[in-house]
Short mmCIF file of all heavy atoms in Angstrom, two decimals:
data_model
loop_
_atom_site.label_atom_id
_atom_site.label_comp_id
_atom_site.label_asym_id
_atom_site.label_seq_id
_atom_site.Cartn_x
_atom_site.Cartn_y
_atom_site.Cartn_z
N ASP L 19 111.86 45.58 73.38
CA ASP L 19 112.45 45.56 72.07
C ASP L 19 111.65 46.30 71.08
O ASP L 19 112.25 47.01 70.19
CB ASP L 19 112.60 44.08 71.68
CG ASP L 19 113.79 43.37 72.45
OD1 ASP L 19 114.57 44.01 73.07
OD2 ASP L 19 113.81 42.23 72.26
N PHE L 20 110.35 46.29 71.20
CA PHE L 20 109.38 46.95 70.27
C PHE L 20 109.64 48.40 70.36
O PHE L 20 109.86 49.10 69.35
CB PHE L 20 107.95 46.57 70.60
CG PHE L 20 107.01 47.19 69.59
CD1 PHE L 20 106.68 46.55 68.38
CD2 PHE L 20 106.33 48.37 69.95
CE1 PHE L 20 105.81 47.05 67.58
CE2 PHE L 20 105.48 48.90 68.98
CZ PHE L 20 105.13 48.20 67.72
N LEU L 21 109.68 48.92 71.60
CA LEU L 21 109.89 50.40 71.74
C LEU L 21 111.32 50.78 71.43
O LEU L 21 111.53 51.90 70.83
CB LEU L 21 109.56 50.76 73.17
CG LEU L 21 108.08 50.63 73.61
CD1 LEU L 21 107.89 50.87 75.12
CD2 LEU L 21 107.25 51.62 72.82
N MET L 22 112.28 49.99 71.78
CA MET L 22 113.68 50.32 71.31
C MET L 22 113.92 50.31 69.85
O MET L 22 114.75 51.06 69.32
CB MET L 22 114.59 49.32 71.94
CG MET L 22 115.00 49.37 73.48
SD MET L 22 115.79 51.02 73.82
CE MET L 22 117.45 50.63 72.98
N SER L 23 113.03 49.51 69.14
CA SER L 23 113.26 49.50 67.71
C SER L 23 112.56 50.59 67.03
O SER L 23 112.45 50.69 65.80
CB SER L 23 112.72 48.13 67.14
OG SER L 23 113.55 47.18 67.72
N GLY L 24 111.92 51.47 67.81
CA GLY L 24 111.19 52.67 67.17
C GLY L 24 109.66 52.43 67.14
O GLY L 24 108.88 53.27 66.51
N GLY L 25 109.12 51.32 67.69
CA GLY L 25 107.70 51.06 67.67
C GLY L 25 107.01 52.20 68.41
O GLY L 25 107.49 52.72 69.43
N GLN L 26 105.70 52.48 68.08
CA GLN L 26 104.97 53.47 68.81
C GLN L 26 104.23 52.76 69.91
O GLN L 26 103.75 51.70 69.84
CB GLN L 26 103.98 54.07 67.82
CG GLN L 26 104.64 54.83 66.70
CD GLN L 26 105.47 55.90 67.14
OE1 GLN L 26 105.10 56.81 67.86
NE2 GLN L 26 106.73 55.87 66.65
N GLU L 27 104.04 53.59 71.06
CA GLU L 27 103.39 53.04 72.21
C GLU L 27 101.93 52.60 71.92
O GLU L 27 101.45 51.65 72.47
CB GLU L 27 103.40 54.12 73.34
CG GLU L 27 104.75 54.40 73.96
CD GLU L 27 104.75 55.28 75.08
OE1 GLU L 27 103.76 56.09 75.24
OE2 GLU L 27 105.70 55.32 75.77
N ARG L 28 101.21 53.37 71.10
CA ARG L 28 99.78 53.00 70.70
C ARG L 28 99.80 51.62 69.95
O ARG L 28 98.93 50.75 70.28
CB ARG L 28 99.12 54.08 69.96
CG ARG L 28 98.95 55.31 70.75
CD ARG L 28 97.89 55.05 71.85
NE ARG L 28 97.91 56.15 72.76
CZ ARG L 28 97.68 56.15 74.09
NH1 ARG L 28 97.23 55.02 74.58
NH2 ARG L 28 97.71 57.16 74.83
N ASP L 29 100.75 51.35 69.21
CA ASP L 29 100.83 50.17 68.49
C ASP L 29 101.06 48.95 69.39
O ASP L 29 100.56 48.01 69.26
CB ASP L 29 101.91 50.21 67.41
CG ASP L 29 101.45 51.15 66.23
OD1 ASP L 29 100.35 51.45 65.98
OD2 ASP L 29 102.35 51.62 65.55
N LEU L 30 102.02 49.25 70.32
CA LEU L 30 102.47 48.23 71.30
C LEU L 30 101.19 47.82 72.20
O LEU L 30 100.92 46.71 72.49
CB LEU L 30 103.51 48.78 72.24
CG LEU L 30 103.89 47.84 73.43
CD1 LEU L 30 104.33 46.43 72.95
CD2 LEU L 30 104.96 48.50 74.25
N LYS L 31 100.53 48.93 72.56
CA LYS L 31 99.30 48.70 73.33
C LYS L 31 98.28 47.84 72.71
O LYS L 31 97.71 46.87 73.21
CB LYS L 31 98.64 50.11 73.63
CG LYS L 31 97.43 50.04 74.62
CD LYS L 31 96.97 51.41 74.93
CE LYS L 31 95.68 51.50 75.58
NZ LYS L 31 95.16 52.87 75.80
N ARG L 32 98.06 48.06 71.40
CA ARG L 32 97.18 47.37 70.60
C ARG L 32 97.67 45.89 70.42
O ARG L 32 96.90 44.88 70.62
CB ARG L 32 97.04 47.93 69.17
CG ARG L 32 96.06 47.26 68.29
CD ARG L 32 94.70 47.65 68.54
NE ARG L 32 93.81 47.18 67.50
CZ ARG L 32 92.57 47.17 67.60
NH1 ARG L 32 92.08 47.80 68.63
NH2 ARG L 32 91.85 46.66 66.73
N LEU L 33 98.97 45.62 70.12
CA LEU L 33 99.56 44.38 69.92
C LEU L 33 99.50 43.43 71.16
O LEU L 33 99.20 42.21 71.17
CB LEU L 33 100.94 44.44 69.33
CG LEU L 33 101.03 44.96 67.96
CD1 LEU L 33 102.53 45.21 67.69
CD2 LEU L 33 100.51 43.95 66.85
N ALA L 34 99.73 44.15 72.34
CA ALA L 34 99.69 43.43 73.54
C ALA L 34 98.30 43.19 74.17
O ALA L 34 98.23 42.42 75.12
CB ALA L 34 100.59 44.25 74.64
N GLY L 35 97.37 43.79 73.54
CA GLY L 35 95.97 43.62 74.07
C GLY L 35 95.65 44.41 75.28
O GLY L 35 94.86 43.98 76.12
N TRP L 36 96.40 45.49 75.44
CA TRP L 36 96.12 46.33 76.72
C TRP L 36 94.99 47.40 76.46
O TRP L 36 94.97 47.92 75.34
CB TRP L 36 97.34 46.98 77.15
CG TRP L 36 98.53 46.05 77.54
CD1 TRP L 36 98.41 44.84 78.06
CD2 TRP L 36 99.84 46.33 77.31
NE1 TRP L 36 99.65 44.25 78.18
CE2 TRP L 36 100.51 45.21 77.70
CE3 TRP L 36 100.59 47.40 76.71
CZ2 TRP L 36 101.98 45.13 77.66
CZ3 TRP L 36 101.94 47.26 76.72
CH2 TRP L 36 102.63 46.12 77.20
N PHE L 37 94.20 47.61 77.46
CA PHE L 37 93.16 48.69 77.28
C PHE L 37 93.55 49.89 78.05
O PHE L 37 92.98 50.96 77.74
CB PHE L 37 91.85 48.09 77.75
CG PHE L 37 91.29 46.98 76.92
CD1 PHE L 37 91.27 45.72 77.39
CD2 PHE L 37 90.84 47.20 75.69
CE1 PHE L 37 90.84 44.66 76.67
CE2 PHE L 37 90.42 46.06 74.88
CZ PHE L 37 90.39 44.81 75.39
N SER L 38 94.49 49.75 78.97
CA SER L 38 94.82 50.85 79.85
C SER L 38 96.26 51.29 79.56
O SER L 38 97.18 50.56 79.31
CB SER L 38 94.77 50.38 81.27
OG SER L 38 95.32 51.33 82.05
N ASP L 39 96.36 52.68 79.55
CA ASP L 39 97.79 53.17 79.48
C ASP L 39 98.66 52.87 80.69
O ASP L 39 99.86 52.89 80.59
CB ASP L 39 97.78 54.78 79.37
CG ASP L 39 97.23 55.21 77.95
OD1 ASP L 39 97.19 54.46 77.11
OD2 ASP L 39 96.79 56.42 77.86
N VAL L 40 97.96 52.36 81.72
CA VAL L 40 98.80 51.94 82.91
C VAL L 40 99.65 50.80 82.59
O VAL L 40 100.87 50.68 83.10
CB VAL L 40 97.85 51.65 84.14
CG1 VAL L 40 98.57 51.03 85.31
CG2 VAL L 40 97.10 52.85 84.53
N MET L 41 99.25 50.00 81.67
CA MET L 41 100.09 48.78 81.31
C MET L 41 101.25 49.23 80.49
O MET L 41 102.35 48.65 80.63
CB MET L 41 99.23 47.82 80.50
CG MET L 41 97.96 47.31 81.31
SD MET L 41 98.58 46.51 82.93
CE MET L 41 99.45 45.07 82.30
N LEU L 42 101.11 50.32 79.69
CA LEU L 42 102.23 50.83 79.00
C LEU L 42 103.30 51.31 79.91
O LEU L 42 104.50 51.00 79.78
CB LEU L 42 101.88 51.99 78.14
CG LEU L 42 101.26 51.67 76.74
CD1 LEU L 42 100.70 52.84 76.10
CD2 LEU L 42 102.17 51.03 75.77
N GLU L 43 102.88 52.00 81.06
CA GLU L 43 103.84 52.46 82.00
C GLU L 43 104.46 51.33 82.73
O GLU L 43 105.63 51.24 82.98
CB GLU L 43 103.03 53.29 83.05
CG GLU L 43 102.36 54.55 82.51
CD GLU L 43 103.21 55.78 82.58
OE1 GLU L 43 104.07 55.80 83.37
OE2 GLU L 43 103.00 56.63 81.83
N ARG L 44 103.69 50.33 83.08
CA ARG L 44 104.25 49.18 83.82
C ARG L 44 105.28 48.41 83.03
O ARG L 44 106.34 48.10 83.51
CB ARG L 44 103.13 48.25 84.31
CG ARG L 44 103.49 47.09 85.12
CD ARG L 44 102.38 46.29 85.67
NE ARG L 44 101.62 47.10 86.47
CZ ARG L 44 100.25 46.87 86.79
NH1 ARG L 44 99.69 45.86 86.28
NH2 ARG L 44 99.58 47.71 87.53
N TYR L 45 104.85 48.08 81.78
CA TYR L 45 105.83 47.31 80.90
C TYR L 45 107.02 48.12 80.42
O TYR L 45 108.08 47.66 80.22
CB TYR L 45 105.01 46.70 79.71
CG TYR L 45 104.34 45.35 80.09
CD1 TYR L 45 103.18 45.39 80.82
CD2 TYR L 45 104.91 44.17 79.89
CE1 TYR L 45 102.52 44.21 81.10
CE2 TYR L 45 104.17 42.93 80.14
CZ TYR L 45 103.06 42.97 80.84
OH TYR L 45 102.48 41.93 81.15
N GLY L 46 106.75 49.43 80.20
CA GLY L 46 107.76 50.27 79.67
C GLY L 46 108.84 50.68 80.71
O GLY L 46 109.93 51.01 80.39
N ALA L 47 108.37 50.60 82.00
CA ALA L 47 109.28 51.09 82.99
C ALA L 47 110.53 50.33 83.26
O ALA L 47 111.55 50.86 83.62
CB ALA L 47 108.40 51.08 84.41
N SER L 48 110.50 49.03 83.01
CA SER L 48 111.67 48.23 83.22
C SER L 48 112.97 48.65 82.43
O SER L 48 114.01 48.39 82.83
CB SER L 48 111.32 46.74 82.81
OG SER L 48 110.96 46.56 81.51
N ALA L 49 112.78 49.24 81.32
CA ALA L 49 113.92 49.63 80.45
C ALA L 49 113.72 51.04 80.04
O ALA L 49 114.28 51.55 78.95
CB ALA L 49 114.09 48.62 79.32
N ALA L 50 112.90 51.86 80.69
CA ALA L 50 112.64 53.29 80.18
C ALA L 50 113.93 54.08 80.13
O ALA L 50 114.08 54.86 79.17
CB ALA L 50 111.63 53.90 81.11
N ASP L 51 114.76 53.93 81.15
CA ASP L 51 116.02 54.74 81.13
C ASP L 51 116.91 54.33 80.00
O ASP L 51 117.53 55.21 79.34
CB ASP L 51 116.82 54.58 82.46
CG ASP L 51 115.98 55.22 83.63
OD1 ASP L 51 115.21 56.10 83.46
OD2 ASP L 51 116.23 54.80 84.80
N VAL L 52 116.94 53.15 79.65
CA VAL L 52 117.82 52.55 78.58
C VAL L 52 117.25 53.20 77.23
O VAL L 52 118.08 53.69 76.49
CB VAL L 52 117.78 51.04 78.51
CG1 VAL L 52 118.45 50.59 77.17
CG2 VAL L 52 118.44 50.48 79.69
N ARG L 53 115.92 53.13 77.05
CA ARG L 53 115.41 53.71 75.79
C ARG L 53 115.53 55.22 75.75
O ARG L 53 115.78 55.78 74.68
CB ARG L 53 113.89 53.36 75.72
CG ARG L 53 113.62 51.90 75.39
CD ARG L 53 112.19 51.64 75.06
NE ARG L 53 111.21 52.14 76.05
CZ ARG L 53 110.84 51.46 77.08
NH1 ARG L 53 111.35 50.21 77.36
NH2 ARG L 53 109.97 52.00 78.02
#
């Protein structure tokens, strides 16, 4: 929802507490095609 609403990946990474870009890929993959 954050990414679909126009949120930036770096902001999501910070809010979610992730240190690795791998987590962005993992969490973003579930609906990447929709976005």
Side-chain angles (χ1 to χ4, degrees):
D19 288 347
F20 185 86
L21 294 171
M22 281 297 292
S23 297
Q26 300 298 307
E27 288 183 345
R28 294 291 164 207
D29 294 335
L30 174 60
K31 185 177 168 183
R32 180 85 174 170
L33 290 169
W36 301 326
F37 296 108
S38 167
D39 286 345
V40 172
M41 297 308 290
L42 279 171
E43 299 266 338
R44 184 174 298 159
Y45 277 78
S48 63
D51 292 337
V52 173
R53 288 193 307 275

